[in-house]
Amino acid sequence: MNQIRIEEPNDARVTAYRDIKERDLVGRQERFVAEGKVVLEILLRSERFIAESILLLERRLPLLAGALAERPDVPAYIVNDEVMNQIAGFDVHRGILAIGRRNTLTTPEDLVAAQPEKATLVVCAGISNHDNIGSIFRNAAAFGAGGVLLDQTCCDPLYRKALRVSVGAVLKVPFARFDALDDLPDMLDRLGFRQFALSPGGSTDIGAVAPGGKVALYVGAEGPGLPAAILQRIHSVRIPISKEFDSLNAAAATAIALHHFPVL
Amino acid sequence: MNQIRIEEPNDARVTAYRDIKERDLVGRQERFVAEGKVVLEILLRSERFIAESILLLERRLPLLAGALAERPDVPAYIVNDEVMNQIAGFDVHRGILAIGRRNTLTTPEDLVAAQPEKATLVVCAGISNHDNIGSIFRNAAAFGAGGVLLDQTCCDPLYRKALRVSVGAVLKVPFARFDALDDLPDMLDRLGFRQFALSPGGSTDIGAVAPGGKVALYVGAEGPGLPAAILQRIHSVRIPISKEFDSLNAAAATAIALHHFPVL
């Protein structure tokens, strides 16, 4: 075990945990913050991500005993409530925090090429809301999706809130950023993916599409939706909703679509 | 038109808009706050809710011109940016606020009895998260559900954040609070509803249940789920997910279930 008691909030070993809330305002970062038991356990068991350290309320130790015992190499800083609040400044993390970073960076090409014969990929364009991106990853994990591809305007799924909303799914489902949405359809075609653009005005009811094989589901932001060029290039599918209501949330639409193309 | 220019943040006519953020912390209230163009328009056209007043940034007037013209009886207080920020204290509402209250209070009995021969009701037990309750209402509206029944431990769907997340669906889909969850199945039985409890361990895959007719879908909180007495009393259905991931979010599960029982 590598448990280190921290008595002083200014201790240099917990610098990474200070002012977490302020750092949220900055853009994509090398390191990320994992909160809560489930996310921490996924991080500690991940190969794609490295747990640099853990910051834990002393009274949470019994809850994490199993996971900590598996990873004696990761320093676990143990604090009391007062020191925790002085370091992390607020109390939403239930006294369980960790700092993680990427171990590997996947390219879209590698991610797509690694998919087996039955696989569903989610392609996100313009999903800039952390709740939505976190929920999309959670749905992707729940229905066994093999990966999430993100355009440059999607927010960072490793951002604290997105990771929390995903219940750690961001650390489980492989993801990669691509440069040009317009280049994806050709690559996915070559690798045998059937491609579907989720759109309220889609040409086919998603329920009429047979599931199975390799599938890529494109999801755009609420409001603008997917770019016209994508909607013209690939098969668009709709989830029929009431005429008296405007639209589904992007994550809810993704849940319904992934439930239609499960890889369980 | 009833547009009243407010120059002083302390003007007694806008008292209801002051310290909105602090009031969020208090429990269920008689009045609620509607934010944004879509929600305000739904409120102004609602029969079940009364718009008491509107607080609007002057530069938002063109955006709301149509809705305001329909309701000259509702006072619209017009302010500049500085006065808006001094009154409402923050800037998430995009300069469009209204105070509403209930016009009528529906009983569960009336809500259930009012359903037509094809209808889906959502029964929520223990949904205490405002994001989830808002999302559930949005999904209910999208798939034409006839109402939402809430137990006493569900949070208030008229709470500011829930109403915003629902994109106004809370004002469109009738809802009612019931006292005892255990009494509902008998009432719904008598009125010819097929009842299904959404549960990760449900006895039947929801995909195997034929849609149609009168349906009641019970949804419990993540974690504890629905009470054992309900799961024993009514037919439980599951949404199959990956063995490697814990659970679906309650709102995502509801989206999938409502998509299976649409009333469009």
Side-chain angles (χ1 to χ4, degrees), chain A residues 105-242:
Chain A
L105 196 64
T106 313
T107 66
E109 291 75 13
D110 289 346
L111 185 104
V112 173
Q115 300 303 312
E117 281 309 302
K118 183 173 179 182
T120 300
L121 292 175
V122 180
V123 180
C124 294
I127 307 286
S128 57
N129 175 293
H130 290 105
D131 274 305
N132 280 345
I133 210 83
S135 298
I136 287 171
F137 270 86
R138 184 172 178 182
N139 294 330
F143 293 108
V148 178
L149 296 167
L150 305 162
D151 77 357
Q152 297 294 340
T153 67
C154 288
C155 59
D156 187 356
L158 292 168
Y159 174 93
R160 194 167 60 87
K161 189 179 185 191
L163 183 51
R164 184 175 69 228
V165 167
S166 84
V167 199
V170 171
L171 305 181
K172 295 192 107 176
V173 181
F175 63 90
R177 291 244 178 216
F178 55 85
D179 284 324
L181 185 61
D182 291 349
D183 297 342
L184 264 192
D186 286 345
M187 177 174 76
L188 289 163
D189 260 350
R190 278 196 303 277
L191 288 156
F193 278 80
R194 290 189 296 151
Q195 301 178 63
F196 302 102
L198 280 176
S199 172
S203 61
T204 309
D205 181 339
I206 191 170
V209 177
K214 292 181 179 179
V215 168
L217 283 171
Y218 290 62
V219 188
E222 290 169 57
L226 287 162
I230 288 292
L231 292 173
Q232 282 157 18
R233 168 72 176 77
I234 68 176
H235 193 157
S236 65
V237 292
R238 66 179 182 277
I239 296 167
I241 66 167
S242 167

